[in-house]
Amino acid sequence: MDIMNGEMNKKLIAAISAAAVVVVAIIGFLIFTMHRQKVESEKMLELAEMDKMEMENEYEQFAMQYNEMKMQINNDSLVAQLEQEQKRTEELLEELRRVKSSDAAEIMRLKKELATLRAVLRSYVLQIDSLNRMNEQLERENSNLKTQNMQAQQHISNLSSENESLSSKVEIASQLDATGIFAEGRNKRGKAARKIKDVRKFVIGFNISRNVTTSTGVRSLYIRIMTPTAEVLTKGGTFEYENRNIEYSIRKDIEYTGEEQSVQVYWDVAETLSAGTYRVDIFADGHNIGSTTFNFEK
């Protein structure tokens, strides 16, 4: 009987030991998973914070440029319009400062507002530049009179410094915009896929907006695809952004003519992907010119 009791005790101890090992393993796995999720969340939040800071800087620049332009013109009607746009820009800047970086929907709305403001600013830059050109023409036509010629030379000198200031504004106004952005996964038959396990290729399309203020020629576009785990799909390529080199997924060189242009790129899936929300950012000339998100089920 003692022998039987001893055997039963040994089996009971072995069972308890095995159960303890399983419990420890489960706890370890849960701790590892929670730590990984925290790291991934911090990466996503860091990128969102960078995006928000860049938007704040642009809003501040636009507000200052409106203020500078008001001082360079003598047209009450145009000054009133500039004051209205400056006030609207400052109000949107305050909204952006109150928004949390994690509020993706509100950040996306304010980014669209920023694109609208950029287009409005661009139109005023062109309008003021046109007025300056007309003034120059009038000065040249009156240059036959000695006194007026001396005044014209002084005015042209003043316009030269004003045009230098306007050149910096035109540079901002000439930034490209990506609109109508879409992204989807396709299966091996080329059809849209909803489940991540069926995806064989990502298709990303967008339009580069018409912009008569920007230079034409070959422009490099960088498309960056970020997975739900905050990893960038990349083949090792990098480009400069915010004074540092970051990875991109796809590079597309286009011949830009100033007119609206459609672009479509592809990423062949060769890695194991997870379900969730994917983010696509499009960069050109050192600026983030558009972004979108898309989702996949398990």
Side-chain angles (χ1 to χ4, degrees):
M1 181 65 69
D2 291 337
I3 294 175
M4 291 179 63
N5 288 336
E7 290 297 328
M8 290 179 64
N9 288 336
K10 289 180 180 180
K11 290 181 180 180
L12 180 59
I13 291 171
I16 293 172
S17 298
V21 170
V22 172
V23 169
V24 170
I26 291 173
I27 293 173
F29 176 77
L30 290 174
I31 293 173
F32 171 78
T33 301
M34 292 173 63
H35 176 71
R36 181 175 180 183
Q37 290 176 344
K38 180 181 178 183
V39 171
E40 292 170 353
S41 178
E42 289 175 348
K43 288 182 180 178
M44 291 288 288
L45 187 60
E46 180 182 0
L47 184 60
E49 188 64 32
M50 288 175 55
D51 196 17
K52 183 172 180 287
M53 289 177 61
E54 182 184 3
M55 289 171 61
E56 289 183 7
N57 289 336
E58 288 198 68
Y59 272 116
E60 290 174 347
Q61 289 178 17
F62 289 175
M64 289 188 296
Q65 286 160 18
Y66 278 122
N67 192 53
E68 291 176 7
M69 286 191 290
K70 287 188 301 182
M71 299 177 182
Q72 295 173 0
I73 58 175
N74 187 21
N75 184 310
D76 293 341
S77 176
L78 188 54
V79 168
Q81 294 176 41
L82 293 174
E83 286 178 344
Q84 184 177 357
E85 291 300 329
Q86 181 182 359
K87 181 180 179 181
R88 178 168 175 254
T89 301
E90 291 170 346
E91 289 173 349
L92 288 171
L93 174 59
E94 289 303 315
E95 287 185 32
L96 178 61
R97 286 171 174 167
R98 292 193 297 268
V99 170
K100 294 182 178 180
S101 301
S102 57
D103 191 345
E106 191 65 7
I107 292 294
M108 186 63 68
R109 180 185 72 82
L110 289 170
K111 180 169 286 190
K112 291 179 180 179
E113 291 283 358
L114 185 62
T116 301
L117 287 178
R118 187 181 297 115
V120 172
L121 175 62
R122 186 180 300 150
S123 68
Y124 281 117
V125 169
L126 292 174
Q127 186 175 347
I128 294 173
D129 185 59
S130 177
L131 289 173
N132 286 335
R133 290 179 184 276
M134 291 173 61
N135 288 335
E136 290 180 16
Q137 180 63 30
L138 289 173
E139 294 293 346
R140 286 193 292 268
E141 291 175 354
N142 295 326
S143 62
N144 292 331
L145 297 175
K146 184 177 180 179
T147 302
Q148 292 181 345
N149 182 59
M150 293 175 62
Q151 295 174 348
Q153 291 300 323
Q154 182 62 43
H155 188 60
I156 289 173
S157 176
N158 292 336
L159 284 176
S160 177
S161 61
E162 291 176 3
N163 285 335
E164 288 180 4
S165 177
L166 282 172
S167 295
S168 62
K169 298 178 180 62
V170 170
E171 181 179 354
I172 294 177
S174 66
Q175 179 179 323
L176 298 181
D177 283 325
T179 61
I181 305 170
F182 76 89
E184 66 178 14
R186 294 184 181 175
N187 57 28
K188 61 183 179 181
R189 296 188 301 276
K191 304 294 184 180
R194 294 177 58 189
K195 296 184 177 180
I196 193 63
K197 65 183 181 65
D198 298 327
V199 175
R200 297 294 180 269
K201 177 181 295 186
F202 289 136
V203 180
I204 301 164
F206 51 91
N207 295 323
I208 299 297
S209 300
R210 181 176 183 270
N211 190 337
V212 296
T213 65
T214 192
S215 60
T216 59
V218 176
R219 309 293 281 272
S220 294
L221 309 177
Y222 298 93
I223 295 87
R224 181 178 163 99
I225 307 172
M226 181 169 287
T227 70
T229 58
E231 297 177 356
V232 178
L233 299 181
T234 182
K235 296 179 181 177
T238 63
F239 68 101
E240 188 173 344
Y241 177 67
E242 294 287 330
N243 297 320
R244 64 191 183 97
N245 288 329
I246 64 174
E247 294 178 315
Y248 65 85
S249 306
I250 306 165
R251 171 177 171 171
K252 178 72 172 181
D253 293 334
I254 64 171
E255 183 72 31
Y256 187 63
T257 63
E259 298 298 324
E260 184 174 74
Q261 184 171 343
S262 296
V263 179
Q264 191 160 296
V265 296
Y266 305 90
W267 174 268
D268 292 324
V269 175
E271 50 278 288
T272 300
L273 300 176
S274 58
T277 300
Y278 287 72
R279 172 172 172 149
V280 173
D281 289 281
I282 304 166
F283 299 83
D285 304 325
H287 299 282
N288 186 327
I289 65 172
S291 61
T292 191
T293 58
F294 58 115
N295 299 282
F296 288 105
E297 303 172 358
K298 289 184 179 180

